[in-house]
């Protein structure tokens, strides 16, 4: 193991638990590895994949993440390829052939591809040494990011009974841990390697603020170094980045609606510290290997503690002091509850969107299974006069029910291959003098175009011979139609994939029991997120307790712990303030601010602590308008 690690990565030792996980895999055991963000999950399947004959098949949910890992492996001279939705059939066919007959060591697949007959046929011909399931929590209904396409993974086991499986994730509650093993048909139950989720170098801070932007600016001026600011929607990414720039902080914005090439440029600028702060939606972060992030700020409550924990955990991966700050106010609670109501649309609305999808993709009833289509949600909603927010939630239901899948935009360069002989090509050049300069520059610039598909830059080709990119594309398309070459144009569109054949909207069904389960689960997640923000318990203890770590210690560095050290509340003081608060609330409910004002301002912090403890223990209750009342 160490020889492989040293040869390809240059490391002299494994991180904690990596070698144990790898040995379990090499022993042929189905294994579940729970390692925190930055814990080195990919090494756990890449090392055993290299140590054994055959191909390691990796299931990963994000195209960008797959492409990054393939690129990183290829840089280390490790043959790796990826197949995902939106690729041309010829590219898929060629990539599978390389994995079967070539020297490919790692084949990355999106989970949606597993439902395709072609994928199953080709995998059966492959010598597979390991199945690695990244982001394995996506298979669980109990998880915060359930993806029904992950349920296809278990089907592979029927014809690969002796191939071990390694499932990996950074966040999983006990229910999710059990669910992953059950859904993946683990042969060895409870073969789980779990590193503590505790991050001793990470200070969790929660602040209730009305002026969030000003507080964010104040924090970023105090805490130096690279950072991420997470916001609720795409519009806010741009607005917040502009605000920071005006205040002299190098910031940029990122969201899934940007083209993949632009996203890649922005990410590179941030990774190389040309940009200090990235303001982003939750589309940013997964798979990013930047160890020196000093601060992660959330400007809104997240809708689950799993999501918050994973995003906050992107700070301080180098082991040095870092901060995870959550800024919230009462509006956040209201917004979460409102979003909860909108996230579960009526069946009539779901069917309306599904019917429009068939028309938008020009897909006949009974067809389309496995097909992918370029998809722009804004154009789609505008074309069929649909409310874009409701459309988003209806698409999410259709995705969760396994009818469709959606991907972000991913840049794919143009490719071509000459399919005639050199003599035939020369004859074509003589007969078509307008195409001759383009053919000559292709043959001069890209080697091997007669033997293999080569990636080309259409704009660069045009610059060489003073043609526009559109003119180059038209010329190449014409040559493809005349059988001179095979050509796949550059593309960069989000993809919509029909997982099942299209049915009439009237025959569209959903699993009502599961739908209601998700609805209840989502509501519970929201309540847990609100409780985290409003509690007066150690932040780290709360998070570790949520993931069922037993007897987690006080961290000593969160806002609660530091506040206790600075201003301790004795048992005697607690009983005194508790009795006084009970007397004040014998009549009608009182607004929180008015209740606090009835005490001396000198004691304000201790009064607030007493109120927090009483809320936690059920003596008091508070409504959405911040009205406090006695609950017993």
């Amino acid at each position: 193991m160490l020889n492989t690690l040293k040869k390809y990565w240059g490391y002299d030792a494994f991180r904690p638990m990596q070698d144990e996980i790898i040995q379990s895999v090499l022993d042929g055991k189905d294994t579940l590895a729970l390692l925190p963000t930055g814990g080195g999950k990919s090494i756990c399947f890449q090392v055993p994949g290299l140590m054994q004959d055959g191909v390691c098949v990796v299931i990963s949910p994000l195209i960008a993440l797959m492409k990054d890992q393939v690129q990183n492996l290829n840089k280390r001279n490790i043959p790796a390829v990826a197949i995902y939705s939106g690729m041309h059939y010829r590219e898929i066919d060629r990539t599978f052939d390389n994995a079967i007959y070539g020297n490919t060591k790692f084949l990355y697949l999106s989970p949606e591809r597993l439902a395709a007959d072609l994928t199953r046929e080709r995998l059966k011909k492959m010598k597979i040494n390991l199945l690695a399931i990244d982001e394995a929590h996506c298979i669980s209904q109990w998880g915060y990011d359930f993806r029904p396409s992950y349920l296809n993974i278990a089907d592979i086991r029927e014809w690969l009974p002796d191939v071990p499986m390694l499932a990996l994730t950074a966040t999983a509650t006990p229910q999710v841990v059990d669910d992953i093993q059950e859904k993946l048909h683990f042969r060895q139950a409870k073969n789980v390697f779990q590193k503590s989720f505790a991050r001793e170098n990470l200070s969790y801070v929660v602040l209730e603020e009305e002026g969030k932007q000003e507080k964010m600016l104040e924090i970023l001026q105090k805490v130096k170094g690279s950072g991420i600011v997470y916001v609720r929607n795409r519009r806010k990414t741009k607005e917040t980045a502009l605000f920071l720039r005006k205040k002299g902080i190098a910031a940029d914005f990122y969201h899934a609606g940007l083209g993949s090439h632009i996203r890649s440029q922005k990410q590179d600028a941030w990774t190389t510290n040309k940009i200090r702060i990235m303001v982003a939606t939750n589309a940013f972060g997964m798979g990013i290997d930047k160890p020196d992030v000093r601060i992660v700020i959330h400007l809104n409550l997240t809708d689950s503690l799993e999501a918050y924990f994973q995003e906050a955990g992107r700070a301080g991966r180098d082991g040095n002091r870092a901060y995870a700050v959550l800024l919230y106010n009462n509006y956040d609670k209201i917004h979460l509850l409102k979003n909860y109501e909108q996230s579960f649309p009526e069946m009539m609305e779901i069917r309306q969107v599904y019917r429009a999808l068939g028309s938008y993709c020009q897909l006949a009833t009974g067809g389309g299974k496995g097909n992918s289509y370029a998809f722009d949600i804004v154009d789609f909603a505008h074309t069929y006069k649909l409310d874009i927010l409701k459309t988003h939630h209806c698409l999410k239901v259709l995705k969760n029910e396994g009818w469709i899948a959606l991907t972000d935009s991913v840049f794919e360069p143009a490719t071509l291959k000459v399919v005639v002989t050199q003599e035939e090509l020369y004859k074509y050049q003589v007969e078509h003098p307008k195409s001759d300069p383009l053919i000559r520059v292709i043959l001069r610039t890209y080697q091997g175009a007669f033997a293999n598909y080569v990636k080309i830059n259409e704009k660069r080709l045009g610059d060489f011979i003073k043609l526009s990119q559109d003119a180059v594309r038209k010329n190449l398309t014409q040559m493809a139609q005349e059988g001179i070459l095979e050509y796949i144009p550059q593309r960069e569109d989000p993809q919509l994939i029909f997982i099942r054949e299209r049915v009439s909207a009237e025959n569209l069904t959903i699993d009502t029991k599961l739908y209601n389960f998700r609805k209840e689960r989502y509501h519970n997640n929201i309540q847990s997120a609100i409780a985290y923000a409003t509690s007066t318990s150690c932040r780290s203890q709360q998070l570790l307790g949520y993931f069922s770590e037993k007897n987690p210690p006080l961290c000593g560095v969160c806002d609660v712990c530091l506040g206790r050290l600075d201003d301790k509340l004795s048992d005697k003081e607690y009983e005194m303030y508790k009795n006084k608060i009970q007397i004040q609330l014998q009549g009608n409910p009182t607004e929180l601010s008015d209740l606090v004002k009835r005490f001396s301002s000198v004691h304000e912090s201790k009064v607030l602590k007493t109120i927090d403890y009483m809320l936690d223990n059920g003596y008091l209750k508070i409504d959405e308008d911040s009205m406090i009342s006695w609950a017993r």
Side-chain angles (χ1 to χ4, degrees):
M1 288 193 288
L2 276 175
N3 289 338
T4 303
L5 184 71
K6 180 70 174 178
K7 178 180 177 181
Y8 291 100
W9 285 272
Y11 301 143
D12 293 317
F14 288 103
R15 293 183 187 179
M17 210 169 281
Q18 283 181 331
D19 53 346
E20 299 170 61
I21 294 166
I22 292 168
Q23 189 58 57
S24 176
V25 171
L26 292 174
D27 289 341
K29 297 178 181 178
D30 292 336
T31 307
L32 173 57
L34 281 79
L35 296 174
T37 302
K41 292 187 290 295
S42 58
I43 290 285
C44 294
F45 62 82
Q46 289 169 351
V47 168
L50 284 167
M51 291 177 66
Q52 303 175 97
D53 290 336
V55 181
C56 173
V57 175
V58 186
I59 311 300
S60 182
L62 291 180
I63 296 174
L65 187 56
M66 284 195 282
K67 293 180 76 173
D68 283 346
Q69 291 207 9
V70 167
Q71 186 177 22
N72 289 334
L73 286 168
N74 289 337
K75 284 179 182 177
R76 300 179 191 279
N77 295 317
I78 300 171
V81 293
I83 295 175
Y84 41 83
S85 303
M87 287 175 67
H88 194 279
Y89 176 84
R90 290 194 296 271
E91 293 175 279
I92 294 171
D93 195 49
R94 183 177 73 252
T95 305
F96 271 131
D97 278 348
N98 288 339
I100 296 169
Y101 305 112
N103 65 339
T104 298
K105 288 302 297 179
F106 293 92
L107 171 62
Y108 284 76
L109 295 172
S110 61
E112 291 79 21
R113 295 302 315 171
L114 297 177
D117 292 337
L118 174 65
T119 302
R120 297 182 178 216
E121 289 171 12
R122 294 305 186 89
L123 288 179
K124 289 176 182 178
K125 296 179 181 179
M126 223 172 280
K127 184 178 181 181
I128 298 173
N129 60 37
L130 174 64
L131 283 171
I133 318 302
D134 203 8
E135 307 298 335
H137 61 270
C138 293
I139 202 170
S140 175
Q141 297 274 5
W142 287 96
Y144 70 100
D145 193 20
F146 171 65
R147 303 192 184 202
S149 55
Y150 263 68
L151 297 172
N152 296 323
I153 298 170
D155 296 341
I156 302 175
R157 307 226 70 171
E158 294 179 15
W159 30 273
L160 292 173
D162 299 323
V163 175
M165 181 178 287
L166 172 61
L168 307 110
T169 183
T171 50
T173 61
Q175 297 103 319
V176 174
V177 168
D178 291 341
D179 212 21
I180 289 171
Q181 294 171 88
E182 180 188 338
K183 294 292 192 300
L184 291 176
H185 299 173
F186 263 39
R187 296 168 300 179
Q188 294 87 19
K190 302 298 181 184
N191 190 29
V192 180
F193 292 84
Q194 180 170 354
K195 186 180 175 184
S196 172
F197 291 148
R199 296 283 304 279
E200 294 178 2
N201 66 308
L202 189 55
S203 297
Y204 295 100
V205 178
V206 180
L207 301 172
E208 185 173 6
E209 297 285 341
E210 292 303 319
K212 292 184 188 179
Q213 281 204 328
E214 290 71 21
K215 192 65 179 178
M216 170 191 66
L217 177 63
E218 178 188 329
I219 292 167
L220 292 177
Q221 287 171 336
K222 287 179 180 177
V223 179
K224 305 303 179 185
S226 181
I228 307 171
V229 175
Y230 283 108
V231 296
R232 182 178 291 124
N233 56 49
R234 297 175 180 182
R235 177 176 55 83
K236 277 292 182 183
T237 63
K238 191 171 183 179
E239 289 177 358
T240 306
L242 183 60
F243 169 79
L244 290 174
R245 283 182 205 159
K246 287 180 178 177
K247 299 298 182 180
I249 292 177
D252 203 351
F253 65 96
Y254 184 108
H255 58 71
L258 298 168
S260 63
H261 189 59
I262 295 172
R263 295 202 311 270
S264 181
Q265 286 180 333
K266 288 173 179 278
Q267 181 177 317
D268 288 345
W270 177 77
T271 303
T272 56
N273 294 320
K274 293 172 186 173
I275 293 296
R276 181 189 161 204
I277 303 298
M278 185 64 79
V279 184
T281 60
N282 59 9
F284 182 74
M286 189 177 287
I288 290 174
D289 187 17
K290 183 169 171 59
D292 62 341
V293 177
R294 299 274 63 86
I295 187 161
V296 172
I297 298 177
H298 282 78
L299 282 185
N300 308 98
L301 281 172
T302 60
D303 55 12
S304 78
L305 284 184
E306 289 100 322
Y308 177 74
F309 186 75
Q310 189 169 63
E311 290 161 11
R314 288 168 187 146
R317 288 168 58 173
D318 56 5
N320 296 324
R321 176 61 57 205
Y323 300 88
V325 181
L326 169 61
L327 303 177
Y328 83 100
N329 55 35
N330 194 54
Y331 176 75
D332 286 319
K333 303 175 196 176
I334 296 170
H335 174 82
L336 280 183
L337 293 170
K338 184 178 179 182
N339 190 59
Y340 161 72
E341 294 169 2
Q342 294 175 331
S343 294
F344 295 89
E346 297 294 329
M347 195 65 206
M348 177 185 67
E349 296 170 320
I350 299 168
R351 285 183 170 137
Q352 180 186 14
V353 169
Y354 182 77
R355 184 184 295 110
L357 281 179
S359 301
Y360 188 75
C361 298
Q362 298 182 349
L363 180 61
T365 302
K369 180 180 178 181
N371 292 357
S372 62
Y373 302 86
F375 184 72
D376 182 335
I377 187 173
V378 176
D379 178 64
F380 171 68
H382 176 75
T383 301
Y384 295 96
K385 297 180 173 56
L386 300 169
D387 178 84
I388 192 162
L389 187 60
K390 281 186 179 179
T391 300
H392 166 76
H393 290 305
C394 287
L395 291 172
K396 193 169 182 180
V397 173
L398 291 169
K399 184 186 78 161
N400 286 339
E401 290 289 328
W403 287 99
I404 63 168
L406 292 164
T407 71
D408 294 337
S409 63
V410 176
F411 175 76
E412 287 294 326
T415 58
L416 63 78
K417 178 185 177 183
V418 179
V419 294
V420 296
T421 64
Q422 290 188 3
E423 292 77 14
E424 289 172 320
L425 182 61
Y426 178 73
K427 181 181 177 183
Y428 183 85
Q429 288 174 261
V430 172
E431 294 174 354
H432 299 79
K434 288 185 178 180
S435 298
D436 178 58
L438 179 58
I439 293 172
R440 280 191 285 110
V441 76
I442 288 171
L443 296 178
R444 188 169 65 245
T445 308
Y446 302 101
Q447 302 299 316
F450 281 96
N452 302 296
Y453 282 88
V454 292
K455 294 178 180 179
I456 63 170
N457 185 319
E458 297 156 325
K459 183 179 184 306
R460 197 167 159 202
L461 286 173
D463 290 342
F464 281 138
I465 54 177
K466 297 187 169 41
L467 278 180
S468 69
Q469 188 171 348
D470 283 343
V472 169
R473 286 175 176 170
K474 286 179 183 177
N475 206 324
L476 292 172
T477 301
Q478 180 65 32
M479 284 191 274
Q481 290 171 348
E482 294 179 6
I484 302 302
L485 49 81
E486 291 184 349
Y487 164 61
I488 302 169
Q490 173 184 310
R491 56 203 184 280
E492 187 175 5
D493 296 305
Q495 297 289 310
L496 180 140
I497 306 101
F498 279 83
I499 303 299
R500 309 188 211 173
E501 289 117 349
R502 185 195 171 192
V503 299
S504 64
E506 293 72 24
N507 291 328
L508 180 79
T509 58
I510 65 172
D511 188 324
T512 307
K513 185 177 179 181
L514 277 178
Y515 189 69
N516 291 332
F517 170 82
R518 290 191 200 110
K519 189 172 183 179
E520 181 182 0
R521 179 69 180 154
Y522 188 58
H523 186 264
N524 292 340
N525 287 343
I526 288 172
Q527 295 301 329
S528 295
I530 292 172
Y532 170 77
T534 55
S535 173
T536 56
S537 300
C538 167
R539 305 296 176 190
S540 180
Q541 270 191 338
Q542 286 187 74
L543 291 169
L544 297 178
Y546 183 79
F547 292 106
S548 295
E549 289 202 18
K550 294 180 180 179
N551 304 316
L554 293 171
C555 71
V557 292
C558 72
D559 62 300
V560 175
C561 287
L562 292 174
R564 282 178 177 168
L565 293 173
D566 293 339
D567 190 14
K568 291 183 179 178
L569 180 69
S570 68
D571 290 342
K572 185 177 179 180
E573 287 174 317
Y574 170 71
E575 288 299 325
M576 178 185 71
Y577 289 124
K578 175 186 168 186
N579 291 334
K580 288 185 177 181
I581 289 167
Q582 182 177 4
I583 292 169
Q584 294 292 330
L585 293 176
Q586 287 302 318
N588 295 324
T590 304
E591 190 170 350
L592 176 60
S593 57
D594 289 337
L595 178 60
V596 175
K597 285 177 184 177
R598 297 177 188 179
F599 296 82
S600 168
S601 60
V602 176
H603 304 141
E604 181 176 317
S605 64
K606 292 186 176 182
V607 171
L608 286 169
K609 282 188 177 183
T610 303
I611 292 171
D612 281 336
Y613 284 132
M614 293 174 74
L615 284 167
D616 285 348
N617 290 285
Y619 290 101
L620 302 178
K621 58 184 178 181
I622 185 169
D623 62 20
E624 292 181 4
D625 298 318
S626 297
M627 298 296 287
I628 296 277
S629 58
W630 190 255
R632 294 194 176 188

